[in-house]
Amino acid sequence: MKQPYLAARAVLSALALAVLATAPATAHEVPGVGTGAVFNDPGGSAAEQSRVRDHIVRLIGLAPRGAVIHSSLYALDDTVVSDALIAAHRRGVAVRLVLDEKHSAAPASRAVLRALGTDRSRPSHVVVCPRGTGCVSTVRPSINHNKFFLFSRTGDAENVVVTSSANFTGLNLTRFFNNVYTQPDSPELHRAYRDFWTDQASGTVRTEDYGTTSSLPGGLELATFPRASGDPLAEAVSGVEAVDGGGEPAVIRVATPSLTRTSVAEALRSRARAGAKVEIAYTAMGASAGPMLEHPNITLHHLDGAASGAKTVHSKYLAVDGNLAGSPDGKTVWVGSHNLNMSSLVDDDENVLRVPGAAVHDAYRDNFRELRAYALARP
């Protein structure tokens, strides 16, 4: 029964190495930073479990003296990451962090706070969000749920954006399927994320309706949260052409820890009724959303995180193979920290990044197949 999962693991192991592969560096070469996705395997070896974390740590280690790192994190409880950030600070990198208050007492977070301090006039510093809320959100309760890094320079690239589903905790290595997406040499995207980070760190931008949408070169689009109206993910699904002019159905794949938002469930059901194929890998399903997804064109894959020893979905992505409004014959993914529940929409500091392109879509498609194989292999 477990052979499909093991086969998918082998494919994804090769893919993760290939997606961001670069030529070996010599003493005179600057290590490369590629565009693409990396996925962990919580059921694999220690190296496979930590792929997402180690990718980010590598980028931190490649940042040269004089570079600036901005990061906004929900949970920093991994000393491998905190040690890398402190080492970067000590070699002359300006390291600027926004941390959610809830996890700021973790040993790794405390170590970074001691090393960098909280003086915002200094090149390196840490900002901790107010207790009980995000940094821009005033909703109580809310959190800073982001997991992104911005590098002015790292390796051979500038203006590098890294957005992930992974928190820096032990469970995110050994129990949770996660992903990280890297976009180098993208000054407009870097600026859009940096503006969001600056608003978080300022302490002066406080609102229940922060949400912005930035349309950027190359078809990239950044959506931020919380927002009092609208649902960018539901709108994205609704914009999929269910069947193209040649009669080929679109394929919509969703990976999410939690699907409770009826606006998204309704959009998925609408596309399925119109002929699209929908697959969802999930851990928790809402009582109202679940019945809305009962349709022959919708297949659910449950990764039961409550089962003993089970691995669970922590990735948050939408992958569409089909025509979108203004993008015929498109392949597009939406990635980031955003869960498909109400708190990610209306309460928490969050981000979702839209990335068009066949290569990135196909990487997430193949990762989804690993999630599906794992779910099917479970008793």
Side-chain angles (χ1 to χ4, degrees):
M1 285 295 293
K2 295 187 182 295
Q3 288 182 348
Y5 173 53
L6 294 174
R9 276 180 53 186
V11 171
L12 266 294
S13 295
L15 175 66
L17 294 174
V19 167
L20 298 180
T22 57
T26 70
H28 302 290
E29 291 177 330
V30 179
V33 176
T35 302
V38 170
F39 307 92
N40 78 323
D41 181 355
S45 66
E48 292 167 334
Q49 290 175 342
S50 64
R51 279 195 204 114
V52 168
R53 182 199 67 187
D54 293 349
H55 172 69
I56 295 170
V57 167
R58 173 180 179 267
L59 295 178
I60 296 170
L62 291 177
R65 180 180 181 85
V68 183
I69 299 172
H70 295 85
S71 178
S72 181
L73 300 174
Y74 175 54
L76 174 55
D77 193 15
D78 186 326
T79 55
V80 173
V81 180
S82 59
D83 287 351
L85 290 168
I86 293 167
H89 162 68
R90 288 175 175 166
R91 69 173 178 270
V93 178
V95 178
R96 301 167 186 171
L97 304 183
V98 166
L99 298 178
D100 186 72
E101 187 276 337
K102 183 177 179 180
H103 294 278
S104 61
S109 293
R110 290 203 309 269
V112 170
L113 278 161
R114 286 193 300 269
L116 276 59
T118 58
D119 184 348
R120 300 184 195 184
S121 69
R122 300 184 66 82
S124 293
H125 56 264
V126 181
V127 175
V128 178
C129 297
R131 177 171 295 183
T133 73
C135 270
V136 296
S137 178
T138 56
V139 178
R140 288 187 178 274
S142 62
I143 57 175
N144 171 38
H145 196 237
N146 289 294
K147 307 124 186 5
F148 67 78
F149 284 81
L150 315 175
F151 299 85
S152 64
R153 287 181 292 146
T154 183
D156 65 351
E158 297 182 347
N159 297 308
V160 178
V161 173
V162 178
T163 187
S164 179
S165 66
N167 297 312
F168 293 121
T169 70
L171 288 177
N172 278 261
L173 301 178
T174 61
R175 290 286 303 278
F176 299 165
F177 287 98
N178 276 301
N179 75 92
V180 58
Y181 177 75
T182 302
Q183 181 78 34
D185 301 314
S186 185
E188 295 88 356
L189 181 64
H190 185 276
R191 186 179 305 113
Y193 266 99
R194 194 175 68 243
D195 288 346
F196 182 29
W197 186 94
T198 299
D199 285 345
Q200 284 198 294
S202 70
T204 61
V205 180
R206 302 281 289 156
T207 178
E208 296 182 3
D209 190 16
Y210 176 82
T212 62
T213 301
S214 302
S215 297
L216 303 162
L220 298 169
E221 186 174 270
L222 171 63
T224 60
F225 305 83
R227 53 183 69 204
S229 62
D231 186 336
L233 274 299
E235 293 161 11
V237 173
S238 296
V240 177
E241 183 179 330
V243 180
D244 67 20
E248 188 70 21
V251 181
I252 302 171
R253 298 178 176 91
V254 179
T256 181
S258 173
L259 203 172
T260 63
R261 224 150 72 213
T262 55
S263 55
V264 175
E266 172 58 36
L268 291 167
R269 180 177 65 176
S270 171
R271 297 300 81 205
R273 285 176 169 174
K277 302 296 184 182
V278 178
E279 288 194 89
I280 304 169
Y282 72 99
T283 294
M285 181 66 68
S288 298
M292 299 173 72
L293 297 170
E294 295 174 359
H295 190 277
N297 283 347
I298 299 178
T299 306
L300 303 179
H301 304 289
H302 187 204
L303 283 74
D304 183 5
S308 176
K311 314 305 177 186
T312 188
V313 185
H314 198 257
S315 277
K316 309 105 170 28
Y317 61 78
L318 165 67
V320 173
D321 183 355
N323 295 347
L324 302 172
S327 179
D329 301 317
K331 290 185 175 184
T332 306
V333 297
W334 285 258
V335 298
S337 61
H338 186 92
N339 293 319
L340 297 180
N341 54 25
M342 286 304 296
S343 60
S344 285
L345 179 65
V346 303
D347 296 341
D348 301 335
D349 295 11
E350 294 272 15
N351 78 94
V352 171
L353 176 62
R354 168 182 161 163
V355 185
V360 63
H361 168 274
D362 292 352
Y364 279 91
R365 176 202 62 198
D366 292 346
N367 178 254
F368 187 91
R369 289 171 176 168
E370 180 184 15
L371 301 181
R372 180 179 64 192
Y374 179 81
L376 292 172
R378 298 292 297 174

